[in-house]
Amino acid sequence: MSVQAPHLFSSDFLWGAATAAYQIEGAHLKHGKTLSVVEKNMNKNYADPSIASGHYQYWEKDIALMKELGLKAYRFSISWPRILPDGRGKINQEGVDFYRKLINKLKEYEIEPIVTIYHFDLPQCLQEEYGGWSSRKVIDDFEAYCQVLFTYFDDVNYWLTINEQSNMFQLPYLMEFNPDIPLEKQKYEMNHIMTLAHAKAIHLCRTLLPNAKIGPALGIIPNYPASPKPEDTLAARHADEMRTYLFMDLYMKGEYRPFVWNYLVENGIEPTVEPEDMTCIQSAKPDFIGINYYQSRVVKFIPEDADKKELKLNYDGQDDDTQYDNTPGLFEGMTNPFTPKTRWDWEIDPIGFRYILNELYDRYQVPLMITENGLGTLDELTADKQIHDQERIDFLRDHIWQLQLAIKDGVEVWGYMPWSFIDLLSTSSGFRKRYGFVYIDRDDKDIKTLERIKKDSFFWYQKVIASNGCQL
Ligand code: BGP
């Protein structure tokens, strides 16, 4: 059954889908590519990135499926160690050629490439050489990497600088930390350095590609108070400050929020800010903000002397393994009794989507692009090779419905890139947890055929795009 929606999406609305290099490509140590930090740290119980979805091999098939789906845009990331195997210096021509072919084919099919420059995959050699994001040396290397991309792929109109800077510091497999330095201190140093790298990318883009649009992609989770208790209401505000507005204000205003800065100073974990840093960040205003939205969160106040819990690497979201973000003295996440959950216990909250889009647009008055949104679940291949993923269709329909309401509320949204185009290696949970419109015939232990099989959601989304969001 489909639902008729009012006509609210503009005729040039970018209906798309998203992926990231290390999650789909495979060939992770082949064709000149070297290892990245995220690949090294992936949970060893799951599929490794050597094959992933086999996209390096089957990219042409995949783009043909994108055309069949009717995509107007495709968000993918370029792998830094595929372009620069030593992190800097010598360019791997085979890597450049791979992305060149990809972009050419997308353009031939009139699919707008939306390119993420950095999606968790720092070259491992830079981690070993100087500690990766903990050293300011990475800023120059990142800028040099951007220069290569902006030179070879100067026909790309949309760039995303860094994916989910906000989440990177919470998840131990996305970054490596030095055990000899207090963890919290390191996190905020790295965040500052990463913000500078993001700003340098924007400056360089303005010089080399003045007509291109560029912005970050941020993982956003709106926080609701657990009760009407004033303490909980403040806790929700503090969670938003620490997990969302810290990053948004840095990107959009080039400032540290006073609440966050004072908290960092009081706890002796503020980053080193050099004289020109804030000018560099302030003058790098993004053209748009990419929003990755999967869920909302409920938080309650927890006192200063409560235990600090770090998120674990082996998290697979099963039953009693559910983890909640916690910062003693400020807030702790908890379950929401009013929202359904995914198989991995993520809150399903389409209204939260409308809420946060309004909130962000009100505060920053900048166009938004939905760079991720989707349902990770178990999909079952039937004997006659079908995947009836009605749950995913419901999830996406409800979110697109709220998206159009946000547009009606006055929010400017350029596009919608559900996660993910094809099944891929889930960052936290391997191949069991699937997100795609297209099923990939493999599991964590067995590579199988890597056949691409269209799910029910593929045919549903095809109609959504063809009707420009009217037929949901
Ligand atoms: C985002 C990442 C993606 C993707 C997605 C789903 O944080 O940008 O790379 O992995 O989340 O997360 P997961 O795979 O852990 O379910």
Side-chain angles (χ1 to χ4, degrees):
M1 187 200 77
S2 76
V3 173
Q4 204 60 32
H7 211 134
L8 288 166
F9 294 102
S10 61
S11 55
D12 57 354
F13 189 79
L14 294 170
W15 292 102
T19 63
Y22 73 94
Q23 295 175 273
I24 59 163
E25 285 178 4
H28 82 311
L29 297 176
K30 288 191 177 156
H31 306 283
K33 181 182 169 301
T34 57
L35 191 67
S36 70
V37 167
V38 70
E39 288 163 339
K40 175 179 166 250
N41 291 331
M42 277 194 148
N43 189 319
K44 305 288 179 281
N45 298 323
Y46 303 133
D48 68 35
S50 60
I51 305 280
S53 311
H55 176 71
Y56 193 86
Q57 188 181 353
Y58 295 117
W59 66 273
E60 261 184 298
K61 258 190 195 168
D62 293 340
I63 302 188
L65 282 164
M66 288 176 204
K67 182 174 154 51
E68 188 183 338
L69 181 55
L71 292 189
K72 308 268 188 241
Y74 171 48
R75 176 194 177 206
F76 64 97
S77 77
I78 291 185
S79 158
W80 183 346
R82 193 178 293 290
I83 296 288
L84 297 166
D86 304 324
R88 71 169 88 82
K90 203 176 127 282
I91 296 171
N92 174 27
Q93 193 56 43
E94 234 187 301
V96 170
D97 293 347
F98 173 70
Y99 295 111
R100 186 65 269 165
K101 282 185 305 196
L102 202 79
I103 293 168
N104 287 350
K105 194 48 106 182
L106 289 169
K107 294 226 157 199
E108 184 188 324
Y109 288 162
E110 296 181 350
I111 301 171
E112 187 75 55
I114 298 179
V115 177
T116 314
I117 298 172
Y118 184 82
H119 200 121
F120 309 151
D121 50 3
L122 183 80
Q124 177 64 22
C125 52
L126 299 185
Q127 185 67 44
E128 281 157 24
E129 188 184 321
Y130 52 65
W133 288 106
S134 64
S135 163
R136 280 185 175 245
K137 288 185 186 158
V138 76
I139 301 171
D140 288 345
D141 285 341
F142 184 74
E143 199 182 1
Y145 163 54
C146 290
Q147 169 125 25
V148 175
L149 300 193
F150 296 155
T151 307
Y152 281 95
F153 310 121
D154 60 352
D155 51 346
V156 168
N157 300 318
Y158 294 89
W159 293 91
L160 292 159
T161 53
I162 290 181
N163 182 65
E164 295 197 344
Q165 186 169 330
S166 47
N167 284 354
M168 241 175 290
F169 304 92
Q170 310 308 317
L171 300 167
Y173 40 86
L174 304 179
M175 301 283 269
E176 282 192 10
F177 299 100
N178 181 342
D180 301 330
I181 306 176
L183 183 61
E184 292 302 307
K185 172 88 181 150
Q186 266 183 89
K187 285 184 185 174
Y188 291 100
E189 287 289 358
M190 285 177 167
N191 181 53
H192 187 73
I193 290 171
M194 203 177 260
T195 309
L196 281 164
H198 148 91
K200 294 271 184 175
I202 294 193
H203 287 301
L204 191 66
C205 185
R206 300 271 179 255
T207 310
L208 297 180
L209 307 175
N211 297 323
K213 305 287 183 207
I214 185 162
L218 206 53
I220 302 268
I221 300 181
N223 292 285
Y224 304 145
S227 78
K229 277 204 307 213
E231 290 86 341
D232 289 341
T233 304
L234 202 57
R237 183 183 161 89
H238 289 162
D240 282 338
E241 289 268 1
M242 301 297 289
R243 298 286 181 258
T244 301
Y245 299 130
L246 158 63
F247 308 96
M248 284 296 294
D249 270 31
L250 277 172
Y251 291 147
M252 294 306 301
K253 300 182 177 170
E255 290 169 3
Y256 275 93
R257 290 186 68 75
F259 171 82
V260 177
W261 186 256
N262 291 339
Y263 174 88
L264 300 182
V265 171
E266 262 168 37
N267 288 278
I269 53 174
E270 76 279 15
T272 316
V273 178
E274 291 186 358
E276 293 307 310
D277 287 359
M278 297 319 285
T279 321
C280 169
I281 297 171
Q282 208 159 50
S283 51
K285 202 169 161 210
D287 297 301
F288 68 100
I289 300 280
I291 305 292
N292 296 356
Y293 177 83
Y294 289 89
Q295 56 181 327
S296 59
R297 170 173 48 204
V298 165
V299 298
K300 63 180 178 200
F301 171 73
I302 51 162
E304 203 84 54
D305 57 359
D307 283 348
K308 169 83 193 136
K309 295 178 207 143
E310 290 301 333
L311 301 181
K312 289 174 290 175
L313 176 57
N314 287 328
Y315 174 54
D316 72 356
Q318 305 245 352
D319 313 319
D320 58 351
D321 204 18
T322 304
Q323 304 184 72
Y324 293 108
D325 190 3
N326 112 321
T327 302
L330 296 183
F331 63 90
E332 178 168 57
M334 53 180 281
T335 190
N336 185 341
F338 299 103
T339 52
K341 317 277 178 275
T342 71
R343 173 73 167 64
W344 268 261
D345 255 343
W346 294 18
E347 315 281 348
I348 301 177
D349 183 11
I351 294 176
F353 192 31
R354 176 183 182 184
Y355 165 78
I356 194 64
L357 294 178
N358 270 281
E359 190 63 23
L360 294 174
Y361 192 68
D362 278 356
R363 276 183 186 245
Y364 301 101
Q365 296 289 309
V366 65
L368 306 176
M369 163 116 66
I370 312 310
T371 38
E372 287 180 34
N373 173 236
L375 176 75
T377 194
L378 305 171
D379 282 326
E380 216 182 298
L381 186 63
T382 61
D384 58 346
K385 283 203 179 167
Q386 300 198 34
I387 297 95
H388 302 304
D389 57 342
Q390 187 59 40
E391 209 189 336
R392 179 167 298 106
I393 295 174
D394 292 344
F395 181 100
L396 294 171
R397 172 196 293 129
D398 293 349
H399 282 78
I400 297 175
W401 185 268
Q402 294 297 326
L403 174 63
Q404 61 165 357
L405 292 179
I407 292 172
K408 193 163 150 227
D409 296 336
V411 179
E412 186 179 347
V413 184
W414 284 356
Y416 179 67
M417 312 292 134
W419 187 266
S420 52
F421 172 59
I422 48 178
D423 284 345
L424 41 71
L425 203 48
S426 148
T427 309
S428 62
S429 313
F431 244 91
R432 267 183 78 231
K433 188 187 198 184
R434 293 171 184 267
Y435 282 93
F437 292 111
V438 178
Y439 184 89
I440 303 290
D441 182 33
R442 68 156 297 172
D443 60 29
D444 277 321
K445 304 274 174 257
D446 188 350
I447 305 297
K448 298 191 182 169
T449 64
L450 294 177
E451 188 183 345
R452 276 78 177 125
I453 302 164
K454 291 167 244 170
K455 302 183 191 177
D456 287 357
S457 59
F458 181 99
F459 300 105
W460 171 81
Y461 193 45
Q462 197 175 42
K463 290 198 188 109
V464 173
I465 299 176
S467 66
N468 199 25
C470 280
Q471 205 178 325
L472 291 178

